[in-house]
Amino acid sequence: MEWETRIHNEEKYLEVITTGAADKEGSLNMAKVIKETMQRHRITRALIDHRGVESVSGEIIEIYDRPKLFKIMGVMLGVRIAEIIKPEHVKHFRFFETVCVNQGFSFSIFRERSSALEWLLK
């Protein structure tokens, strides 16, 4: 998976636009970059746009363990993350959303940018 990051200083959030195939390794690498960028810029909100992702892979156990890995990596629980996804990836990301919320993360998935930004910036 590849990604591009943008800092929105006025609204104080990080935007990440992804492309390619989303897998465990790419997701963890991206999470590390997001964490470091957010810490460096003192930002606590991230908008991740996965609409450019062509495919999503990952076993249930990998998805279930991912929030635990985020905690080990030092991703703070006070961070707010909105992800925009394609309709065909809802099942995968809905489970990820549930697991993240159950682990204490402020995380939500959306299909529209406007509703994701509204939730993220409130």
Side-chain angles (χ1 to χ4, degrees):
M1 179 168 61
E2 296 157 12
W3 61 86
E4 173 188 332
T5 60
R6 298 178 188 154
I7 305 288
H8 294 268
N9 287 314
E10 249 180 66
E11 297 92 350
K12 297 187 181 187
Y13 73 94
L14 171 69
E15 181 176 8
V16 181
I17 300 168
T18 61
T19 57
D23 60 8
K24 179 182 178 182
E25 183 180 339
S27 295
L28 292 176
N29 288 336
M30 182 186 67
K32 182 180 177 189
V33 168
I34 289 171
K35 177 198 81 129
E36 291 168 353
T37 303
M38 291 176 80
Q39 286 177 334
R40 192 169 46 255
H41 293 275
R42 299 176 189 213
I43 295 173
T44 59
R45 297 176 183 162
L47 176 69
I48 304 171
D49 188 341
H50 285 307
R51 292 177 293 179
V53 167
E54 298 157 9
S55 64
V56 177
S57 66
E59 300 297 322
I60 295 294
I61 192 67
E62 291 173 349
I63 297 167
Y64 183 77
D65 286 340
R66 201 157 297 157
K68 293 174 191 170
L69 293 173
F70 290 165
K71 286 180 182 179
I72 291 168
M73 291 169 46
V75 175
M76 302 172 295
L77 289 178
V79 168
R80 191 171 181 87
I81 301 170
E83 291 195 351
I84 310 167
I85 60 167
K86 290 179 176 179
E88 59 265 31
H89 299 148
V90 167
K91 183 179 177 184
H92 177 90
F93 282 100
R94 182 69 63 205
F95 179 67
F96 182 54
E97 175 187 51
T98 300
V99 171
C100 285
V101 169
N102 288 344
Q103 292 289 321
F105 288 94
S106 182
F107 182 96
S108 194
I109 62 169
F110 300 88
R111 292 177 47 197
E112 306 270 332
R113 179 182 173 82
S114 59
S115 54
L117 272 175
E118 181 180 326
W119 177 85
L120 185 67
L121 299 177
K122 70 177 177 178

